[in-house]
Amino acid sequence: MDYIEKVLEKLKEWAQRIIDALLGPESQPEPEPIPIPVNDRQRRR
Protein backbone atom coordinates (compact mmCIF):
# COMPACT_ATOMS: atom_id res chain seq x y z
CA MET A 1 0.00 0.00 0.00
CA ASP A 2 2.86 2.36 0.84
CA TYR A 3 4.39 1.68 -2.59
CA ILE A 4 1.19 2.78 -4.36
CA GLU A 5 1.10 6.03 -2.39
CA LYS A 6 4.72 6.78 -3.36
CA VAL A 7 3.95 6.11 -7.03
CA LEU A 8 0.89 8.36 -6.92
CA GLU A 9 2.92 11.13 -5.26
CA LYS A 10 5.57 10.90 -8.01
CA LEU A 11 2.86 11.02 -10.68
CA LYS A 12 1.42 14.17 -9.08
CA GLU A 13 4.87 15.80 -9.07
CA TRP A 14 5.43 14.94 -12.73
CA ALA A 15 1.99 16.20 -13.71
CA GLN A 16 2.65 19.47 -11.87
CA ARG A 17 6.00 19.87 -13.65
CA ILE A 18 4.34 19.31 -17.05
CA ILE A 19 1.60 21.84 -16.25
CA ASP A 20 4.19 24.37 -15.07
CA ALA A 21 6.22 23.85 -18.25
CA LEU A 22 3.19 24.34 -20.49
CA LEU A 23 1.31 27.10 -18.67
CA GLY A 24 3.94 28.67 -16.48
CA PRO A 25 4.13 28.39 -12.70
CA GLU A 26 0.69 28.33 -11.08
CA SER A 27 -1.47 30.00 -13.65
CA GLN A 28 -3.63 32.69 -12.09
CA PRO A 29 -7.18 33.51 -13.10
CA GLU A 30 -7.79 36.56 -15.26
CA PRO A 31 -8.56 39.60 -13.13
CA GLU A 32 -12.07 40.93 -13.57
CA PRO A 33 -12.17 44.30 -15.31
CA ILE A 34 -13.08 47.21 -13.07
CA PRO A 35 -16.02 49.18 -14.44
CA ILE A 36 -15.19 52.85 -14.96
CA PRO A 37 -18.12 55.22 -14.62
CA VAL A 38 -18.58 57.42 -17.67
CA ASN A 39 -20.70 60.54 -17.76
CA ASP A 40 -22.27 60.05 -21.18
CA ARG A 41 -24.95 62.71 -20.87
CA GLN A 42 -24.59 65.42 -23.46
CA ARG A 43 -23.92 68.79 -21.96
CA ARG A 44 -26.16 71.55 -23.32
CA ARG A 45 -25.58 75.20 -22.56
Side-chain angles (χ1 to χ4, degrees):
M1 194 69 162
D2 199 31
Y3 175 75
I4 294 174
E5 290 176 6
K6 287 181 181 179
V7 170
L8 288 175
E9 188 62 35
K10 283 291 182 185
L11 287 174
K12 287 179 188 178
E13 289 176 18
W14 289 344
Q16 188 62 45
R17 287 183 188 175
I18 291 171
I19 291 170
D20 287 347
L22 294 175
L23 303 177
E26 290 192 33
S27 60
Q28 297 179 358
E30 293 277 331
E32 289 189 31
I34 300 172
I36 300 172
V38 176
N39 188 357
D40 60 351
R41 287 185 264 155
Q42 294 179 353
R43 293 184 180 179
R44 295 184 183 181
R45 295 184 184 207

